[in-house]
């Protein structure tokens, strides 16, 4: 029971964060479609959508130029020669094992060669196992280099005799995402017929803004980091979408839906979807090919020159309530595109039924999760993809004459898990994903009989030395700490919800009222009654002293002088969204933003959340955060300025 509750806490908080991420991206898409092109708000975020514009190969090749980058004599890291060989990539693995950094020249060269190869690979790789040869299938790695190294140690390096399928989510969360990419790309170049890389939902530039990959690359390569990121984003869009083994086993990152069709997936122009959270921009009818958008003046009035139309536009100050949240992403994008093109006299670039289907196919295989009930419903927990049931598995596998679906996308305590009558198998290869001891990693070995054999492991020596009781206790402690931070961030909402049951202001409510109100505010789907002993130090019979309980959550002393406590709570509640917006606005990747950019960040966030924050409150906050008074704000210092302390834990 303890392990199950701990697991539910970690997973619920993770999925809530993904849902917030998608909601924020929907909001950005709405701003792009409704704000005037010259508006300062739109300019702040417009560059992140340029990734989906058409850019021809000849223009991309300029990003791969590496010959002008000199390697200093004092460089002690690994050297690469091209074309790469098995020995060359093996030395790269060994160098990363010893925490060496590959020079930016070699990084760009390796990425360039990878891009050239990926453009010739199909959307679906059809591979086969032969007598005496097994194929190895790995799930999410999420920047955990120690897990990849352990897999290679136990199973052997990729080769023509030892083929591998890596099933997406190579990056984000962990500290060595780039090293994992470079190793996998290196082996792909040496063994293009024996190493297969499927795209995951984290191979997406917008997701990378929130979950750490962008920050990692820019921290390791301060001079050339922006170019490296730009190229990796392009490469992500060219990653294949699925692998089929012996025409019987389908391997995709997320899953399927009731509309999944491999023939459609095979024909999709996958490279158009640099971010699958937003459809690619469409050129107006009649626009010439050449890799550039046709730019029109704001005064352009359509086919009849000289007639200017008055176009209603919106700003952050009069954004309508729930304007973007009440529509689906696809419906809102389609409607706003038509409105904008009609306004400026463009022919209506209607999103065709085929294009809608293609986008849905990709989103479903990258974001979906299985469920125990029959049917297929939107995945509202993650915010993308769907939940599909055993009946959908049966139908899709039968229609394509398949026997088994292997997917990843979900962390499992044992590293793998069967469902849907053993016809769906989840494999997850990042051990200690949530915390040390939280889960094992695993990989699959499969021979010609297509029977999966599992290999489990723990990459952390510390965890291997713990007893089961110690491991469960440590993981439970981390999960409860994360949950208390969520409770603190929603403190005001919780108090209001509790007070609805406390008409006489006694400070006491029943246990069932406490559990119901807490779930209604946090929406995490947790068994609050079961968690009560770990969250509440004392109760009076069946009553909860919620006022005392709320007081037990506090923060450490901070150098910030903030009079508006609502901003403080908002910062805790939405710190991930804040950091995402900060990093979008920090276009030069210096880690610093100006007071005005800081103000615009808060205006964007408050509009997204439909909250009112005065300019004075934002200005006061900016001045208190600018510790050295140089007129700019250090993003990392700002994000590290707050630490939660559980006073009840200190009192025990």
């Amino acid at each position: 029971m303890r392990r199950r509750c701990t697991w539910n806490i970690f997973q619920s908080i993770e999925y809530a964060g993904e849902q917030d991420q998608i909601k924020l991206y929907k909001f950005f898409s709405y701003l792009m479609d409704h704000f005037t092109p010259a508006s300062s708000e739109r300019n702040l975020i417009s560059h992140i959508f340029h990734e989906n514009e058409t850019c021809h190969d000849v223009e991309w090749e300029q990003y791969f130029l590496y010959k002008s980058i000199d390697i200093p004599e004092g460089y002690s890291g690994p050297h690469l020669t091209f074309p790469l060989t098995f020995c060359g990539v093996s030395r790269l693995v060994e160098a990363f094992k010893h925490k060496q950094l590959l020079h930016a020249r070699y990084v760009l060269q390796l990425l360039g060669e990878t891009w050239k190869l990926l453009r010739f690979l199909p959307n679906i790789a059809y591979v086969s196992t032969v007598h005496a040869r097994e194929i190895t299938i790995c799930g999410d790695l999420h920047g955990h280099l120690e897990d990849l190294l352990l897999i290679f140690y136990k199973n052997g390096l990729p080769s023509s005799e030892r083929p591998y399928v890596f099933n997406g989510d190579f990056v984000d969360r962990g500290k060595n995402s780039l090293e994992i990419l470079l190793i996998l790309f290196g082996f792909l170049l040496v063994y293009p017929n024996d190493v297969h890389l499927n795209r995951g939902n984290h191979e997406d530039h917008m997701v990378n803004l929130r979950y750490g990959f962008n920050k990692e690359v820019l921290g390791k390569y301060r001079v050339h980091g922006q170019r490296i990121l730009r190229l990796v984003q392009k490469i992500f869009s060219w990653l294949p979408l699925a692998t089929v083994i012996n025409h019987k086993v389908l391997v995709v990152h997320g899953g399927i839906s009731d509309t999944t069709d491999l023939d459609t997936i095979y024909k999709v122009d996958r490279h158009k979807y640099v971010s699958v959270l937003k459809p690619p921009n469409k050129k107006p009818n009649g626009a010439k090919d050449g890799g550039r958008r046709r730019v029109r003046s704001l005064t352009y009035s359509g086919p009849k020159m000289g007639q200017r139309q008055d176009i209603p536009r919106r700003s952050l100050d009069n954004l309508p309530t729930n304007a973007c949240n009440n529509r689906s992403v696809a419906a809102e994008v389609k409607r706003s595109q038509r409105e904008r093109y009609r306004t400026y006299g463009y022919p209506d670039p209607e999103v065709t039924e085929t294009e809608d289907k293609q986008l849905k196919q990709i989103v479903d295989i990258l974001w979906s999760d299985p469920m125990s009930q029959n049917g297929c419903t939107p995945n509202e927990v993650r915010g993308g993809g769907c939940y599909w049931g055993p009946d959908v598995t049966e139908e899709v596998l039968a229609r394509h004459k398949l026997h088994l679906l292997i997917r990843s996308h979900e962390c499992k305590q044992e590293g793998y898990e069967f469902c849907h009558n053993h016809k769906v198998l989840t494999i997850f290869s990042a051990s200690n994903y949530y915390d040390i001891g939280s889960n094992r990693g695993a990989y699959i070995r499969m021979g010609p009989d297509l029977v999966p054999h599992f290999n489990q492991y723990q990459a952390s020596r510390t965890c291997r030395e713990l007893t089961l009781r110690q491991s469960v206790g440590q993981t439970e402690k981390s999960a409860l700490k994360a949950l208390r931070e969520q409770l603190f961030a929603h403190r005001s909402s919780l108090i209001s919800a509790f007070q609805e049951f406390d008409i006489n202001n006694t400070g006491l409510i029943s246990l069932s009222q406490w559990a119901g109100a807490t779930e209604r505010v946090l929406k995490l789907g947790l068994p609050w009654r079961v968690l009560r002993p770990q969250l509440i130090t004392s109760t009076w019979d069946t009553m909860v002293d919620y006022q005392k309980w709320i007081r037990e959550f506090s923060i450490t002393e901070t150098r910030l002088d903030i009079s508006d406590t609502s901003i403080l709570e908002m910062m805790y509640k939405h710190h991930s969204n804040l950091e995402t917006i900060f990093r979008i606005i920090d276009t030069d990747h210096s880690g610093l933003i100006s007071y005005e950019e800081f103000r615009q960040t808060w205006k964007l966030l408050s509009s997204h959340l439909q909250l009112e924050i005065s300019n004075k409150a934002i200005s006061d906050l900016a001045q208190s955060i600018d510790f050295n008074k140089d007129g700019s704000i250090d993003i990392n210092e700002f994000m590290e300025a707050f630490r939660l302390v559980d006073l009840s834990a200190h009192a025990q």
Side-chain angles (χ1 to χ4, degrees), residues 123-140:
N123 292 347
I124 303 176
Y126 287 88
V127 302
S128 63
T129 58
V130 295
H131 181 66
R133 188 177 86 154
E134 294 182 322
I135 191 166
T136 301
I137 305 159
C138 300
D140 298 35

Side-chain angles (χ1 to χ4, degrees), residues 334-350:
K334 182 185 293 187
R335 187 204 62 75
S336 58
Q337 279 184 331
R338 290 175 178 173
E339 176 184 303
R340 183 173 70 244
Y341 274 76
R342 282 199 302 268
T343 298
Y344 285 101
Y346 280 63
D348 186 356
E350 182 175 354

Side-chain angles (χ1 to χ4, degrees), residues 435-454:
D435 194 28
I436 293 178
S438 64
N439 66 286
R440 295 181 180 183
Y443 60 90
I444 300 168
R445 294 184 68 172
M446 181 178 286
D449 59 2
L450 301 182
V451 175
H453 300 276
F454 304 100

Side-chain angles (χ1 to χ4, degrees), residues 281-313:
N281 292 338
K282 303 186 182 305
K283 286 188 293 186
N285 293 341
K288 297 180 180 180
D289 290 333
R292 297 177 183 273
R293 290 187 305 165
R294 186 174 179 183
V295 180
R296 298 202 175 207
S297 164
L298 289 177
T299 59
Y300 179 75
S301 59
K304 295 182 180 180
M305 301 302 293
Q307 296 180 0
R308 178 172 178 175
Q309 298 171 330
D310 292 328
I311 305 159
R313 289 287 178 173

